[in-house]
Amino acid sequence: MKKIVKAMLCVLLIMSLAGCSRNNTVSSVKEPEVTGSETGENQDSKEATETKPVELKIWHDGDEAIMGIIQTSLNESLKDKKITVNFEKKAGLTDQIKLYGTDAANGPDMYLYAHDSVGMFAEMGILAPITDVIGDESLSELLPMTVQAGTYKEKKYQLPVYFETLLFLYNKDLWKGEVPNTTEELYQYMKENTDTAAGTYAVVNQHSTAYNVSPFINGFGGFILSAEGEPGLNNAATKEAIDYNKKFAALQADGDYNTVTTLFNEGKAAAIIGGPWLISGIKEAGINLGYKSLADFTLPNGRNLAPFAGVQGVCVMKYAAEAKKDAIGEVLKTLAGKELGAELAKKSNCAPANVKAYEDTEVAANEMVVTMKQTAETAQPMPNIPQLTVMWAPTESLLAAVNKSGEDLDKAADKYQQEALTAIADMQ
Amino acid sequence: MTKHKVRKAVGYSVLNLVFLCLCFLGLIPILYALSLSLSSGGGALSSGITFLPSNPTLDNFKAIITEEPFLIWLKNSFILSLGTMVIAMGVSVEAAYAFSRFRFPGRGGVLKLLLLLNAFPQILSMFALFRLFKELGLLNRHLGLILIYAGSMCIFGIWNMKGYFDTIPLEIEEASKIDGAGNLKLLAAVILPLARPAIIVTSVMILIFVWNEYLFATTFMLSEGSYSLAGGLYQLQTGDYGRSWSMFSAAAILVSIPILIIFFFIQKYMVSGLTSGGVKG
Amino acid sequence: MKGKKKYQPWLYSSPAMILIGIIIVFPILYTGFISLTNMNLFHWLDYRVIGLENFKRALFKVDSGFLKALLTTLLWTAVNMALQLVLSYFIALGLNAPGLKLRRLYKTLLMFPWAMPAYVSILLWRVGMFNTEFGLFNKCLSALGLSKVNFLSENIPAFLSCMILNLWMALPFMIMMIDGALQSIDKCYYESAKLDGAGFWKQNLHITIPFIKPIMAPAVIMTTFTTFKQFDIFYLLTMQKGAYTGATIQTIITYAHQNAFVSNNYGLSSAVSIIIFGIIIALSLFTNRGVKETGEMALRKKGGAYDKA
């Protein structure tokens, strides 16, 4: 019996090892094969003007309405070139890309996602720089900040489409008087107009989510992760910011995404700190919405709140860049164009990456888009180095420990700084 | 005599009361979800404690069934569940029979080994299965998922049915053996009918496992049209449903209903299989 | 045994063994292989075998945090299993009381929690039950004029919350298994016991429990493992990305997840997986002995019928 089991295990082991090695060779053989035939035909047929129809698959994990607009607009523009793009929603996109990023048969050709994971995928070697597909001149109309956000180790990996930052969104029917200009006045207003027992709030925020506390952290001169990859959780300025945020958190309900959005959408909270992704829900709820840039709030230290900017853009998988170079180039050029940018701004309040799009009169009149662009001029993009992926967990644990469990800030900061350092060391 | 009857009646009323309370307690979260799903918008969330929304509406259910590919997902869930059930039961009944009826070297060892293998957290297997299935071309195919599910539930099936087969006395088989029935025939004609409750329970377990599994379903299936119900809803909860709690609740209730219907109907068979008196020690 | 017969059991079980080999054994071996390589973000496609390096690093992770997580997991498993078995035993007994007419209805209603996908149930509880603003528990507290409680922000209440949720999710299965087992007991045992003057407790201790023990053993052992491996409840309830509640309960699986898996270092996290698997094996050697004993007991009760096979 033991012999049989042993034999079985051996066979399986051999199978598995053979599987892996074969896997490597197969994939490296398979891809160029596809490449050869496709590009070859494309190049041959260029002269003949008889282009073969190409279908491109783009994965995303965003708002279906926004993606729908991009898809329709792209397909409209590229109809003559016989290029069709399909946007497919993938929950947990980053995990899926890790698996399918080398799978030419099943994986996507491109994906549209926030810029902060660019470093990770570039380092994994599954992305092709967009400059392999299109020339630098196609990027000339794009806001430099948005291009910079998708640049990792001096290579441009992401074509920015639109960007978002946190805004101060308020319910005009509930907010009393003017929205203040300093955070201290805002705090006073919150103290006077919040009744936690009754469940009515002045301002709600995801106060224990790193992205939503970043306006404070950056405003105080602290940082979550430096450009060199050093975590800054127990940095004095970061701690000061977390401490300052704590008194706001006490008046902001639980701080969970579902909780705060529902409170705002149901008129139980007069204002919310959130991004454009909340807009479609707010519209459905029929709220009389007003905006204010977070950069217009002054902190006690004289500086302004400084939210992160998140740039949503398209990255190209390596295998697709080889196989479908021309078609992808067309798609990227259209995405970078001002028409698509203006349409996005008009239909879904996105702030386009294309500067020229703002010249459109209707866009220029869109309060929300303009507010976001203003904020973005001072906002710094999130870091995009791979280390960021392991920073969210310790940062948010720290915030929750301080805001929700009442732990001592200094102790907790040291503890989670250590966790962050370990996590970064574990990556290597 | 009458005193005895009265006591019995009181006893049953108490028992019924206890069960009613128990069912109610267990159902509170679901009743709450039901009331949410019948409310328009997220209204029920912030108002007081009530199990009946002020303006009940079926809009949420209608939206899910018509707007999302609910029916396609339902069909996929059925294909996956039935496929898994057939394969998993098909292979584990024979194995369970072998482990229950034969004494052979290595029997105990293999049984223990199976139990240990089952202890390996499946979430850790994902990457390896991905590599294997990519080689075999089973990604993005229902067959691939069925194999994963069947393999995952196979150990459970073997152990569960072996436990029951063990309680079926050998004498019954011996009698048929004398009639000249072979082992497989014996299994089909004598053991299976006797083990009906175990087979039904195990099948339902497998069915529910498949019905509720979402992680493999969303990782190994790539197009919206091939998701199972649980997988499809998982994809949606980050988007549409994440925004609307009442839609999410409605979806949750819709997913559960088919399982409950199946459960209600098989109960009868379970009981009849058990009380037919085949099992005598 | 004749030559042909010797292979018969293997023939019968071979389809199952092949399937298990592919779906269960292969991934474990593969994880073992990856644990010997330096596969991580920076060597995603060009990884190579680096020997036991990862295990050395992984063993460093077996520190105080890991041991605490292990103890929490053991406590969690023990408490949950004890409550689950006792509660479902009595519920199943009640369901089998002769003359209970609404039995089928009760059973179906009690199964409801089980019919829901786990993540749906957990999210439903997180927002519908435990939430400070909309949760039913807090609404009740407010209605009684008490202040709101954040059930998930500190470890002990969060542990209890997770436990209640786990019971809610797991009881239906246990009830169904025990119910099935109870129905297979021949009623004549009880009649003769009654004649001997045995009361309710005596009947349970001397007839019911010994009888269902061998039938229940596999289900109980597997549920124990499931409880031990429980990840979803802790993760989705208290530490989902973007929704940390403040509680820091770690079981060994969540600990490993946080310390090894988020880093995308597959080599290291595979080594951690293998070590955890080792720990599970070590712990289950103990339970295995339990199985053997109940198995032997069943044999003895059957009057050695098996020896003939």
Side-chain angles (χ1 to χ4, degrees):
Chain A
M1 159 55 211
K2 267 186 189 150
K3 266 184 214 157
I4 300 179
V5 169
K6 267 186 199 158
M8 247 173 68
L9 292 180
C10 286
V11 169
L12 272 161
L13 186 68
I14 292 162
M15 257 172 59
S16 64
L17 292 177
C20 325
S21 52
R22 217 176 76 208
N23 170 25
N24 290 342
T25 46
V26 166
S27 53
S28 58
V29 169
K30 218 194 276 170
E31 283 154 25
E33 226 170 35
V34 179
T35 324
S37 64
E38 289 254 346
T39 44
E41 271 184 51
N42 273 356
Q43 274 152 10
D44 291 341
S45 52
K46 235 183 215 166
E47 299 298 310
T49 65
E50 268 297 309
T51 38
K52 228 177 107 190
V54 186
E55 281 209 25
L56 293 171
K57 192 158 61 176
I58 303 183
W59 282 0
H60 71 90
D61 191 7
D63 190 298
E64 304 246 26
I66 299 178
M67 299 305 148
I69 294 167
I70 303 178
Q71 179 177 330
T72 319
S73 171
L74 273 178
N75 283 336
E76 194 63 34
S77 320
L78 299 171
K79 209 163 49 185
D80 300 337
K81 298 188 173 106
K82 289 194 180 163
I83 299 169
T84 351
V85 291
N86 288 314
F87 277 72
E88 286 172 13
K89 185 169 170 89
K90 288 267 123 201
L93 181 100
T94 48
D95 290 333
Q96 300 278 56
I97 296 285
K98 271 178 226 159
L99 288 177
Y100 288 96
T102 51
D103 185 357
N106 296 301
D109 298 303
M110 291 172 262
Y111 70 85
L112 196 158
Y113 200 63
H115 73 269
D116 57 311
S117 57
V118 162
M120 174 171 76
F121 292 129
E123 199 64 71
M124 280 165 65
I126 57 177
L127 295 183
I130 49 169
T131 41
D132 283 6
V133 183
I134 52 170
D136 259 325
E137 71 285 351
S138 307
L139 308 174
S140 59
E141 286 180 5
L142 300 169
L143 276 168
M145 179 278 281
T146 61
V147 178
Q148 196 50 43
T151 306
Y152 177 72
K153 290 195 174 164
E154 281 155 29
K155 279 189 186 150
K156 302 183 179 91
Y157 284 102
Q158 187 195 41
L159 183 98
V161 179
Y162 65 95
F163 59 93
E164 43 197 24
T165 79
L166 290 170
L167 295 168
F168 184 84
L169 307 169
Y170 63 100
N171 187 332
K172 283 181 179 163
D173 299 334
L174 291 179
W175 195 270
K176 298 174 198 147
E178 282 292 298
V179 178
N181 289 322
T182 68
T183 51
E184 277 305 301
E185 283 169 318
L186 185 70
Y187 180 65
Q188 278 307 318
Y189 181 93
M190 285 169 68
K191 246 169 61 179
E192 284 154 22
N193 293 287
T194 300
D195 182 355
T196 41
T200 52
Y201 297 88
V203 181
V204 286
N205 184 19
Q206 288 170 255
H207 56 68
S208 299
T209 303
Y211 188 76
N212 286 54
V213 183
S214 69
F216 289 94
I217 296 177
N218 297 336
F220 273 88
F223 59 95
I224 293 173
L225 183 71
S226 73
E228 292 76 40
E230 276 294 307
L233 296 184
N234 64 353
N235 169 290
T238 311
K239 284 202 282 192
E240 206 184 333
I242 292 175
D243 193 39
Y244 189 66
N245 175 59
K246 187 185 171 181
K247 70 176 187 184
F248 288 85
L251 298 172
Q252 287 174 330
D254 178 47
D256 160 68
Y257 172 85
N258 278 325
T259 312
V260 294
T261 15
T262 313
L263 281 172
F264 184 73
N265 288 354
E266 286 186 22
K268 295 271 172 183
I272 185 170
I273 294 175
W277 51 88
L278 297 179
I279 300 297
S280 37
I282 294 175
K283 269 189 189 159
E284 265 170 51
I287 278 165
N288 185 5
L289 187 65
Y291 326 95
K292 189 179 167 98
S293 165
L294 283 179
D296 292 343
F297 289 94
T298 315
L299 286 163
N301 65 6
R303 292 161 70 165
N304 292 339
L305 286 179
F308 272 141
V311 180
Q312 298 281 342
V314 168
C315 295
V316 182
M317 313 312 299
K318 206 172 233 169
Y319 51 77
E322 288 161 7
K324 302 171 181 172
K325 188 174 173 206
D326 297 337
I328 289 174
E330 292 300 331
V331 172
L332 293 186
K333 274 182 217 157
T334 320
L335 280 170
K338 70 170 186 217
E339 291 80 12
L340 191 131
E343 201 171 338
L344 263 180
K346 282 182 230 170
K347 286 191 182 157
S348 62
N349 294 311
C350 288
N354 186 304
V355 195
K356 293 257 168 71
Y358 294 91
E359 291 166 6
D360 185 293
T361 45
E362 208 183 316
V363 177
N366 187 319
E367 198 189 339
M368 177 149 178
V369 172
V370 174
T371 313
M372 237 175 333
K373 187 177 176 239
Q374 275 165 9
T375 319
E377 272 159 14
T378 55
Q380 44 174 313
M382 283 183 277
N384 66 8
I385 50 178
Q387 285 90 326
L388 187 72
T389 48
V390 302
M391 279 309 296
W392 299 120
T395 311
E396 295 184 358
S397 301
L398 168 60
L399 291 169
V402 172
N403 295 335
K404 296 184 181 179
S405 326
E407 273 183 49
D408 179 63
L409 172 60
D410 291 310
K411 257 193 218 157
D414 286 338
K415 178 180 161 199
Y416 289 108
Q417 172 77 2
Q418 193 50 50
E419 257 187 30
L421 286 169
T422 315
I424 289 175
D426 279 349
M427 294 176 78
Q428 289 284 354
Chain B
M1 182 67 197
T2 39
K3 213 175 170 185
H4 183 69
K5 256 188 184 166
V6 169
R7 237 176 56 196
K8 222 176 176 180
V10 170
Y12 276 113
S13 330
V14 172
L15 197 61
N16 274 310
L17 202 69
V18 168
F19 270 107
L20 282 176
C21 289
L22 210 62
C23 289
F24 181 70
L25 275 177
L27 288 179
I28 284 177
I30 288 154
L31 290 174
Y32 191 65
L34 189 67
S35 102
L36 276 182
S37 66
L38 292 172
S39 70
S40 52
L45 273 181
S46 34
S47 49
I49 313 159
T50 162
F51 281 114
L52 250 188
S54 43
N55 306 308
T57 158
L58 287 174
D59 284 356
N60 293 311
F61 290 97
K62 217 161 73 193
I64 291 165
I65 294 177
T66 53
E67 283 169 27
E68 312 295 351
F70 186 87
L71 296 173
I72 297 174
W73 294 341
L74 186 71
K75 188 192 80 188
N76 291 336
S77 271
F78 270 117
I79 295 174
L80 288 172
S81 307
L82 288 178
T84 307
M85 221 163 80
V86 168
I87 294 187
M89 292 304 282
V91 299
S92 43
V93 162
E94 287 115 349
Y97 179 77
F99 283 115
S100 168
R101 284 301 186 254
F102 297 103
R103 286 292 167 280
F104 51 93
R107 175 183 166 275
V110 173
L111 276 172
K112 274 185 207 162
L113 185 71
L114 287 181
L115 214 51
L116 286 182
L117 289 176
N118 201 43
F120 191 74
Q122 245 218 317
I123 189 164
L124 305 177
S125 312
M126 185 108 87
F127 188 60
L129 283 175
F130 178 84
R131 293 308 267 282
L132 181 68
F133 277 35
K134 189 175 154 185
E135 285 307 300
L136 300 174
L138 285 171
L139 289 176
N140 206 9
R141 286 176 61 186
H142 283 144
L143 179 65
L145 263 190
I146 288 176
L147 286 177
I148 292 180
Y149 292 154
S152 316
M153 289 309 278
C154 195
I155 296 180
F156 169 80
I158 293 175
W159 263 92
N160 211 27
M161 283 187 291
K162 179 206 158 272
Y164 201 90
F165 289 170
D166 283 353
T167 66
I168 299 173
L170 271 176
E171 289 81 358
I172 298 180
E173 261 176 82
E174 304 275 284
S176 317
K177 240 181 205 162
I178 295 164
D179 296 344
N183 272 322
L184 275 181
K185 212 172 160 191
L186 207 71
L187 178 64
V190 182
I191 305 293
L192 289 189
L194 283 179
R196 192 144 101 187
I199 287 167
I200 292 173
V201 171
T202 316
S203 309
V204 172
M205 289 297 306
I206 293 171
L207 191 94
I208 292 184
F209 169 79
V210 177
W211 197 267
N212 291 347
E213 205 284 331
Y214 64 97
L215 206 59
F216 280 94
T218 48
T219 308
F220 284 67
M221 284 292 145
L222 290 168
S223 65
E224 207 180 48
S226 54
Y227 287 146
S228 64
L229 260 183
L233 294 182
Y234 179 73
Q235 288 280 323
L236 282 177
Q237 54 95 34
T238 50
D240 297 0
Y241 295 181
R243 219 180 286 130
S244 163
W245 223 179
S246 33
M247 274 251 276
F248 183 77
S249 311
I253 289 180
L254 279 181
V255 188
S256 318
I257 286 175
I259 291 288
L260 285 179
I261 295 175
I262 292 172
F263 185 80
F264 191 78
F265 281 107
I266 59 137
Q267 264 192 57
K268 193 173 69 193
Y269 298 103
M270 261 173 76
V271 176
S272 70
L274 284 158
T275 48
S276 60
V279 187
K280 287 217 170 76
Chain C
M1 259 190 214
K2 287 164 215 146
K4 190 190 148 203
K5 272 210 161 167
K6 207 169 154 189
Y7 293 102
Q8 223 166 15
W10 293 110
L11 189 71
Y12 282 11
S13 49
S14 58
M17 294 303 141
I18 291 170
L19 194 61
I20 292 168
I22 295 171
I23 305 296
I24 311 274
V25 179
F26 168 77
I28 296 175
L29 296 177
Y30 190 81
T31 309
F33 165 69
I34 293 292
S35 72
L36 302 175
T37 69
N38 67 343
M39 185 178 196
N40 64 27
L41 264 191
F42 306 96
H43 301 278
W44 193 248
L45 304 170
D46 57 342
Y47 56 89
R48 60 190 168 80
V49 176
I50 53 163
L52 293 171
E53 197 60 35
N54 287 319
F55 283 92
K56 262 190 233 158
R57 291 174 66 186
L59 283 172
F60 270 112
K61 296 208 162 294
V62 186
D63 54 8
S64 57
F66 184 86
L67 292 177
K68 201 177 152 205
L70 186 62
L71 285 178
T72 313
T73 317
L74 291 175
L75 179 73
W76 160 262
T77 316
V79 174
N80 268 294
M81 286 315 293
L83 282 173
Q84 238 181 57
L85 285 174
V86 172
L87 287 175
S88 38
Y89 181 69
F90 284 106
I91 294 174
L93 271 189
L95 283 172
N96 277 288
L100 190 71
K101 292 207 180 64
L102 293 170
R103 178 181 298 141
R104 263 177 83 186
L105 178 74
Y106 292 146
K107 268 193 216 168
T108 310
L109 290 179
L110 286 173
M111 287 308 130
F112 213 129
W114 192 27
M116 235 178 221
Y119 75 92
V120 173
S121 306
I122 298 168
L123 292 181
L124 195 66
W125 274 72
R126 195 174 87 198
V127 180
M129 297 289 120
F130 296 129
N131 189 286
T132 51
E133 306 301 316
F134 320 118
L136 203 60
F137 291 146
N138 271 310
K139 278 185 182 176
C140 291
L141 289 177
S142 308
L144 295 170
L146 300 167
S147 58
K148 287 175 184 168
V149 177
N150 193 342
F151 292 99
L152 303 174
S153 72
E154 275 165 62
N155 286 349
I156 292 173
F159 186 87
L160 295 175
S161 305
C162 289
M163 201 177 77
I164 290 173
L165 174 53
N166 187 54
L167 284 179
W168 187 78
M169 284 168 49
L171 272 180
F173 167 63
M174 228 5 135
I175 296 174
M176 186 165 154
M177 293 308 293
I178 297 187
D179 180 59
L182 284 179
Q183 289 179 7
S184 61
I185 306 178
D186 200 313
K187 298 291 175 288
C188 63
Y189 284 128
Y190 293 105
E191 268 141 40
S192 53
K194 259 184 210 158
L195 288 180
D196 293 347
F200 174 76
W201 295 107
K202 261 206 169 140
Q203 283 181 31
N204 276 304
L205 272 176
H206 295 297
I207 303 172
T208 320
I209 295 178
F211 194 93
I212 63 170
K213 222 167 155 182
I215 308 180
M216 290 302 298
V220 173
I221 292 166
M222 291 204 190
T223 318
T224 312
F225 280 132
T226 319
T227 318
F228 190 89
K229 290 191 288 188
Q230 184 54 255
F231 175 78
D232 286 357
I233 293 184
F234 291 102
Y235 182 76
L236 290 175
L237 216 52
T238 69
M239 56 180 103
Q240 196 184 17
K241 195 181 163 233
Y244 284 80
T245 60
T248 52
I249 312 167
Q250 299 279 10
T251 70
I252 54 170
I253 309 282
T254 60
Y255 186 84
H257 177 83
Q258 268 205 342
N259 282 275
F261 297 92
V262 287
S263 60
N264 286 316
N265 191 333
Y266 277 48
L268 183 60
S269 58
S270 298
V272 172
S273 309
I274 296 290
I275 289 177
I276 290 180
F277 190 45
I279 290 173
I280 294 179
I281 290 176
L283 286 172
S284 59
L285 286 179
F286 172 74
T287 17
N288 253 315
R289 201 171 298 139
V291 181
K292 207 173 161 193
E293 272 158 20
T294 48
E296 273 164 8
M297 247 166 58
L299 281 183
R300 254 178 275 129
K301 271 183 81 94
K302 295 269 172 221
Y306 282 95
D307 299 339
K308 292 179 206 157

